[in-house]
Amino acid sequence: MCLIPAGSFRMGTDDGFPFERPVHEVRLNAFWMDKHEVTNEQFGNFVDATHFKTDAEKFGWSGVFDPREGKWTKSDGADWRHPTGPDSKADPKHPVIHVSYADAEAYAKWAGKRLPTEAEFEYAARGGKHDEKFAWGNDLYPGGKQMANAWQGMFPFEDDGKDGFKGLAPVGSFPANPYGLFDITGNVWEWTSDYYADDYYKQSPNENPKGPDAGKERSIRGGSWLCAENYCLGYRVAARNKTEPDSGLNNLGFRCVKAAKP
């Protein structure tokens, strides 16, 4: 894990979507955050120890984006062990996917951790920088370098794979941000503990905000391999998204945090 120091930052952006506004000052206590997304290997250790069964395994299917068809499909037999269906096999070093909010929360509790708040996630992603668009600065491709696993080309028709990957990448395949966090944007969207509300920023407390008290959806952060310049742009540090808690998708995973001792 990486220690994320206590501090203040300007959360949100006034240059993005309405639900990313307004920019507001937030102060957070120090916390530890997983260096990278939870991997299939790590999640497998949890399952071996607890015999846990994910929601996708109980449902018997999960959502899979098929690049060949350029659309989401209902894939019978897709789960964390079988990322695109029953004949596929998960890479131990890839981030675990097809995990619901309850699945992620169960892992975090077993590991003695918790899921990050939306504010913690954005603060950590910014890496101590202020008002910059990406975790590495304002240039999407500094010096022509690919900085995150995303979709290059016109989504959803063709991913030219300039970043070296068409689909998921092993964790740590791209440079860490200034706090030492890998894949804090790109690769997979990540669960946060916050309920989602479009207008939450207008009423958010300034100290350690934890999101609305209730809601039908949870906030997810960080963007994924499906985010492109013409679609989503979820790899911006201020980007926010949402999904229902029982969602299991092949571009959604998580990482954990825990409080730092005073």
Side-chain angles (χ1 to χ4, degrees):
M1 302 186 85
C2 298
L3 179 62
I4 313 301
S8 299
F9 77 112
R10 288 162 50 83
M11 186 172 181
T13 178
D14 291 328
D15 297 324
F17 297 105
F19 50 81
E20 296 168 351
R21 307 170 189 164
V23 173
H24 54 292
E25 192 83 9
V26 170
R27 179 167 181 79
L28 296 172
N29 296 335
F31 59 97
W32 291 91
M33 178 175 258
D34 286 348
K35 183 178 288 189
H36 54 70
E37 301 139 337
V38 173
T39 64
N40 287 307
E41 182 177 28
Q42 291 173 314
F43 197 79
N45 292 337
F46 158 62
V47 171
D48 288 345
T50 64
H51 308 290
F52 184 83
K53 195 171 185 179
T54 63
D55 282 336
E57 290 173 292
K58 295 173 186 175
F59 297 155
W61 66 275
S62 191
V64 173
F65 185 85
D66 187 343
R68 295 168 299 180
E69 297 186 26
K71 65 180 183 180
W72 285 98
T73 61
K74 179 183 176 182
S75 182
D76 292 336
D79 55 44
W80 74 274
R81 289 188 176 93
H82 311 96
T84 58
D87 295 329
S88 61
K89 186 176 181 180
D91 186 318
K93 301 304 180 185
H94 280 181
V96 66
I97 52 176
H98 298 300
V99 284
S100 69
Y101 180 85
D103 300 336
E105 197 172 43
Y107 173 93
K109 184 176 181 180
W110 171 80
K113 306 175 185 178
R114 61 175 173 81
L115 295 178
T117 65
E118 196 174 354
E120 286 172 335
F121 195 97
E122 182 171 330
Y123 178 62
R126 290 182 178 277
K129 297 182 178 181
H130 299 282
D131 302 321
E132 294 191 348
K133 196 170 184 179
F134 307 109
W136 52 86
N138 285 315
D139 186 353
L140 182 56
Y141 305 116
K145 188 175 183 180
Q146 304 288 331
M147 299 297 289
N149 183 22
W151 184 288
Q152 290 88 45
M154 186 64 69
F155 182 87
F157 306 108
E158 184 177 4
D159 180 6
D160 59 31
K162 285 182 180 178
D163 60 6
F165 303 96
K166 292 186 177 182
L168 293 176
V171 297
S173 296
F174 296 86
N177 81 344
Y179 284 155
L181 302 168
F182 292 93
D183 306 306
I184 194 68
T185 56
N187 219 13
V188 292
W189 286 98
E190 300 183 32
W191 286 110
T192 76
S193 60
D194 289 25
Y195 285 111
Y196 177 85
D198 279 349
D199 61 352
Y200 181 65
Y201 285 5
K202 296 178 181 178
Q203 52 192 309
S204 170
N206 297 116
E207 296 277 339
N208 300 302
K210 293 180 172 58
D213 293 332
K216 294 182 178 180
E217 298 165 306
R218 295 279 183 175
S219 295
I220 56 176
R221 283 291 193 135
S224 80
W225 63 274
L226 287 173
C227 290
E229 289 187 73
N230 71 305
Y231 168 79
C232 167
L233 285 172
Y235 39 71
R236 294 174 297 113
V237 288
R240 48 194 312 245
N241 208 335
K242 60 184 178 179
T243 192
E244 295 188 1
D246 63 354
S247 290
L249 304 168
N250 69 327
N251 71 332
L252 176 59
F254 70 102
R255 77 180 73 205
C256 304
V257 299
K258 65 180 180 180
K261 294 180 179 180

